[in-house]
Amino acid sequence: MSTLHQSTIWEISDSDSEGGVEAKGFVQGDRSAKDVLVPPPPDEYGRPSPTRKRRSKEEIEADKQKARERREAREESRAAKEREKQEKRKELQRRKEAAQHLNSLKPENFLKTLTVCIDPALLQQQGSDILLGTLSSFDWRYSIQPQALPNSITWTKDLPELAEDGAGPVAEDQLVQVLGPSEFLDTVICVKKMIDNKGEEPAADSAHGLFKLGRNRDAVKVATVLVTESQPDYKKHAYALDETIQSKYGGENVDIEEVLVYLQLHKNIAVLFVDGWQEVTDHVCAVTKSLSKRPYKLLTEQPEQLPFCVDGSWAGGVRVEKDGSGLKRVWSKQIQQLNRVSQATASCVTAAYPSPQLLLQAYEALSSEEDKKKLLADLVVKGEGRERRVGPDISTRVYRCLTAQNPELVLD
């Protein structure tokens, strides 16, 4: 049993009759699997599989390169999708912030950021409690703090973007000063002396409070002086007021109207005569409401588009070259600015008379006024699939626009 016999099994094909013996077989025994000759498995048709070719280094590198490119393409696609998501999130955040900013500028919301600053000296006047009671009833913010100008009222606003930087409230440009009759007379006398000195302001120690404030060139204020305890029809009592001013001014005549006009034109100070603190309160409330409406109004309006200009590219004007090209378009736009004159109508007129000079010469060639007015009436306007005439109305207005000598003449 120590000796293992090896046996060989022979397979004899059908070609034995031809004298040829084909041997196919394998060796059985205790040899290892690697020493056994195993034929390649046949394919589905019973044919032996072809031997796999070994790939070259170039083919391997090409396959690796393609794999790297596919991986980089997947990473790039993933990064592009991530960037698109981030851009969408930023756009949503930007729209949200814009909507919040727009909502904060609405009058009912912006009013909550305003503060009415009242000088403590005003609280000593009789009837000033009407102002404080009204502001409290409206739930408006107000503070009592000394002002740069005595007996004055100013406004401040809190801006969220400035609050983050630690900055304080921003002062509005409106200022209201409340004066009594005697204080107003002192103002009139001070202004009259300034007018007599040809606009030279008084010395700093004797200058009126309004002019001290006016010396600050950086702070532009729209000031209003409210004169209390005065009659609305003060002109009826001007004689007694003039006598009082003449006695203080040394017997000379003082024109109050001249003083008021000077304050309005040269110092941007308006003077209003009110009858008691109720009218002062009404004026302060009106200014507060006006300040609350101003930011939203400025945001919604488009000041760059002038309302009297034709819509579209005309807002930017028509370019005229040195050779004169563009003048016909200017002539057409000039006619189009007339009321109820369309672009087709203006083009029809400029086609018949390419320049204003030619139209004026045509007017001069006619003798009667009626013929001149009806010169353009029969011109045919083509547009929108139909034809129509210019008509006597537009013809008359064009004639008046070019020949009228009265600058205040209404064309319609």
Side-chain angles (χ1 to χ4, degrees):
M1 298 298 294
S2 61
T3 303
L4 297 177
H5 297 280
Q6 297 179 353
S7 60
T8 304
I9 300 174
W10 295 92
E11 293 181 2
I12 301 174
S13 63
D14 297 337
S15 61
D16 292 342
S17 58
E18 298 177 0
V21 177
E22 182 179 355
K24 294 181 180 179
F26 54 90
V27 180
Q28 294 181 346
D30 57 352
R31 292 185 180 182
S32 60
K34 64 180 181 180
D35 295 334
V36 179
L37 298 177
V38 179
D43 58 9
E44 57 181 350
Y45 299 104
R47 295 172 301 186
S49 299
T51 305
R52 178 180 295 181
K53 296 181 180 179
R54 296 186 61 181
R55 296 185 300 168
S56 62
K57 292 183 179 181
E58 291 78 6
E59 293 176 345
I60 295 175
E61 290 296 329
D63 292 343
K64 290 182 179 180
Q65 181 66 24
K66 291 180 180 180
R68 284 195 297 267
E69 291 177 355
R70 288 194 297 267
R71 185 169 59 253
E72 291 176 357
R74 288 194 299 268
E75 293 176 356
E76 182 66 24
S77 177
R78 192 180 303 111
K81 291 181 179 179
E82 185 65 24
R83 287 194 300 268
E84 186 178 355
K85 290 181 180 179
Q86 292 179 0
E87 290 177 358
K88 287 183 179 180
R89 285 195 293 265
K90 290 181 180 180
E91 180 66 18
L92 291 177
Q93 182 66 20
R94 187 190 64 80
R95 291 183 180 181
K96 182 179 179 181
E97 293 176 355
Q100 292 177 352
H101 178 66
L102 180 62
N103 187 51
S104 64
L105 294 182
K106 291 184 177 180
E108 60 273 12
N109 296 327
F110 191 80
L111 186 60
K112 300 176 183 178
T113 65
L114 292 176
T115 302
V116 184
C117 304
I118 305 173
D119 189 76
L122 291 176
L123 302 181
Q124 301 176 3
Q125 300 185 17
Q126 185 178 2
S128 59
D129 55 338
I130 299 177
L131 175 61
L132 299 182
T134 303
L135 296 178
S136 301
S137 63
F138 288 154
D139 198 18
W140 292 352
R141 296 193 306 178
Y142 66 90
S143 64
I144 301 174
Q145 55 187 3
Q147 302 296 314
L149 188 64
N151 299 329
S152 65
I153 300 173
T154 58
W155 286 261
T156 60
K157 58 183 176 182
D158 297 332
L159 299 180
E161 55 270 17
L162 296 180
E164 296 178 357
D165 299 337
V170 180
E172 292 283 2
D173 59 351
Q174 295 292 326
L175 182 144
V176 173
Q177 187 182 34
V178 182
L179 299 179
S182 59
E183 297 169 334
F184 173 67
L185 294 181
D186 295 339
T187 302
V188 171
I189 294 174
C190 182
V191 175
K192 181 59 179 176
K193 292 180 180 179
M194 184 185 303
I195 296 175
D196 294 342
N197 294 332
K198 297 181 181 180
E200 181 180 355
E201 295 185 0
D205 54 350
S206 62
H208 193 268
L210 285 174
F211 308 126
K212 290 180 180 179
L213 183 66
R215 287 196 177 98
N216 186 6
R217 302 302 182 186
D218 297 333
V220 180
K221 290 288 186 180
V222 180
T224 303
V225 177
L226 302 180
V227 183
T228 59
E229 299 177 2
S230 60
Q231 299 293 333
D233 52 347
Y234 73 96
K235 291 183 179 180
K236 296 182 180 179
H237 307 276
Y239 179 75
L241 189 61
D242 288 341
E243 286 186 348
T244 305
I245 296 177
Q246 288 178 13
S247 62
K248 290 187 176 183
Y249 193 61
E252 297 183 9
N253 294 328
V254 178
D255 189 358
I256 298 180
E257 294 290 344
E258 180 186 5
V259 172
L260 299 181
V261 171
Y262 180 85
L263 289 175
Q264 180 70 56
L265 297 180
H266 295 274
K267 300 298 179 181
N268 198 21
I269 300 174
V271 179
L272 301 178
F273 296 90
V274 296
D275 187 14
W277 270 89
Q278 183 59 52
E279 295 187 7
V280 174
T281 302
D282 295 341
H283 182 81
V284 172
C285 293
V287 174
T288 305
K289 292 180 180 179
S290 177
L291 290 176
S292 67
K293 297 177 182 179
R294 182 165 60 179
Y296 190 78
K297 186 177 181 181
L298 293 177
L299 184 64
T300 54
E301 289 181 349
Q302 297 180 353
E304 67 274 4
Q305 294 184 0
L306 301 179
F308 55 82
C309 285
V310 183
D311 295 337
S313 60
W314 171 240
V318 177
R319 182 179 180 85
V320 179
E321 303 295 342
K322 293 183 178 180
D323 58 355
S325 58
L327 288 174
K328 189 174 182 179
R329 290 186 58 198
V330 174
W331 169 226
S332 178
K333 294 296 184 181
Q334 183 179 359
I335 299 176
Q336 193 175 346
Q337 283 189 340
L338 296 176
N339 192 20
R340 299 189 304 277
V341 176
S342 63
Q343 183 178 0
T345 303
S347 301
C348 175
V349 175
T350 55
Y353 301 95
S355 68
Q357 185 65 29
L358 294 177
L359 182 56
L360 289 175
Q361 293 176 0
Y363 285 142
E364 293 176 357
L366 299 176
S367 57
S368 65
E369 192 75 11
E370 291 298 325
D371 293 340
K372 295 179 181 179
K373 292 181 179 180
K374 297 179 181 180
L375 176 63
L376 307 176
D378 294 331
L379 295 179
V380 179
V381 180
K382 297 180 180 181
E384 299 180 358
R386 60 188 181 89
E387 296 182 355
R388 56 186 176 84
R389 297 188 306 117
V390 172
D393 179 51
I394 296 178
S395 178
T396 302
R397 284 191 284 125
V398 172
Y399 170 71
R400 290 178 178 176
C401 178
L402 295 178
T403 61
Q405 301 295 329
N406 183 10
E408 298 181 359
L409 178 65
V410 179
L411 298 180
D412 287 340

